[in-house]
Amino acid sequence: MGVPKRLTEMQKRFAEFIVFGGPDGPVSQSEAAELAGYSKKRCRQEGSELLNPRLSPLVVQYVGGLKEERMKKFEVSYEGHIAELDRIKQMALKKGSFSSAVNAETNRGKAAGLYIDRKIIKHGKLEELSEDQLEAKMKQILEDYAPLLGADVVEGESQEVVEEQTSSEVSSSSKHKKLETPIAPKK
């Protein structure tokens, strides 16, 4: 038995159902075969055979052609993408939906490469650092973020301060402790 020279109408319908789906969306091979008109008892086997390139090369070729045609129709190009986002933005502005317009313009900027998403993943644990390395790390962080914190970086040694409280200090409304001896900065 040789390979047929052309596709039947049922094979064409089967291929179209495989590529474009049925009335309710995408369909399986057996559903496409049944929708194309094949027997309900053999639709599963027919669907498998129709997509086998050794048994039905013309059907497989036709399915491939339909998929290419579909991809060309919905192809995304830079120019088309930017134009579509601009069209969406203009429609949103006409309707007064400013947040949608801003989102469309932001997405146009991302597509044009004006925005860069940068993620830095660092590995390592603080527990693995020595005490000196931790102190150096903390000083570096304070120096790097001093403008954001609005704090001056003061270098010096920490000292433990032990205060004796009198009964009048305990009864006072303020619970803040005063530093008795100032910390002298290292030179």
Side-chain angles (χ1 to χ4, degrees), residues 99-169:
S99 65
S100 297
V102 168
N103 286 337
E105 187 61 26
T106 302
N107 287 333
R108 269 179 16 129
K110 286 180 182 178
L114 299 176
Y115 297 95
I116 299 171
D117 286 334
R118 187 182 319 175
K119 295 178 182 161
I120 300 173
I121 300 172
K122 294 186 175 185
H123 298 280
K125 296 181 181 176
L126 292 175
E127 293 86 26
E128 296 172 357
L129 299 177
S130 69
E131 189 173 328
D132 292 335
Q133 290 172 326
L134 275 173
E135 285 182 16
K137 183 85 169 163
M138 289 180 357
K139 285 179 186 175
Q140 182 64 42
I141 291 171
L142 283 174
E143 288 172 7
D144 291 346
Y145 293 100
L148 295 174
L149 297 173
D152 294 329
V153 177
V154 178
E155 293 197 20
E157 287 186 22
S158 62
Q159 298 177 354
E160 287 188 34
V161 178
V162 179
E163 294 182 23
E164 290 183 27
Q165 293 182 343
T166 61
S167 61
S168 64
E169 288 178 341

Side-chain angles (χ1 to χ4, degrees), residues 18-163:
I18 285 292
V19 174
F20 302 113
D24 298 327
V27 294
S28 66
Q29 293 174 4
S30 61
E31 292 171 331
E34 186 177 338
L35 289 170
Y38 289 94
S39 165
K40 289 185 180 186
K41 293 180 182 179
R42 284 191 34 89
C43 66
R44 184 175 175 140
Q45 185 175 352
E46 287 288 345
S48 179
E49 289 174 359
L50 288 169
L51 289 179
N52 185 334
R54 282 183 274 144
L55 299 176
S56 304
L58 292 177
V59 176
V60 173
Q61 185 179 9
Y62 187 64
V63 167
L66 287 175
K67 284 183 179 179
E68 274 186 43
E69 181 182 313
R70 182 174 165 209
M71 288 302 290
K72 283 181 184 175
K73 180 180 178 183
F74 297 111
E75 182 179 35
V76 176
S77 66
Y78 176 75
E79 293 82 13
H81 181 64
I82 296 296
E84 179 65 14
L85 285 171
D86 186 53
R87 186 184 69 77
I88 292 169
K89 180 186 86 170
Q90 296 304 326
M91 287 174 46
L93 285 173
K94 284 180 184 175
K95 289 185 176 183
S97 178
F98 296 109
S99 65
S100 297
V102 168
N103 286 337
E105 187 61 26
T106 302
N107 287 333
R108 269 179 16 129
K110 286 180 182 178
L114 299 176
Y115 297 95
I116 299 171
D117 286 334
R118 187 182 319 175
K119 295 178 182 161
I120 300 173
I121 300 172
K122 294 186 175 185
H123 298 280
K125 296 181 181 176
L126 292 175
E127 293 86 26
E128 296 172 357
L129 299 177
S130 69
E131 189 173 328
D132 292 335
Q133 290 172 326
L134 275 173
E135 285 182 16
K137 183 85 169 163
M138 289 180 357
K139 285 179 186 175
Q140 182 64 42
I141 291 171
L142 283 174
E143 288 172 7
D144 291 346
Y145 293 100
L148 295 174
L149 297 173
D152 294 329
V153 177
V154 178
E155 293 197 20
E157 287 186 22
S158 62
Q159 298 177 354
E160 287 188 34
V161 178
V162 179
E163 294 182 23

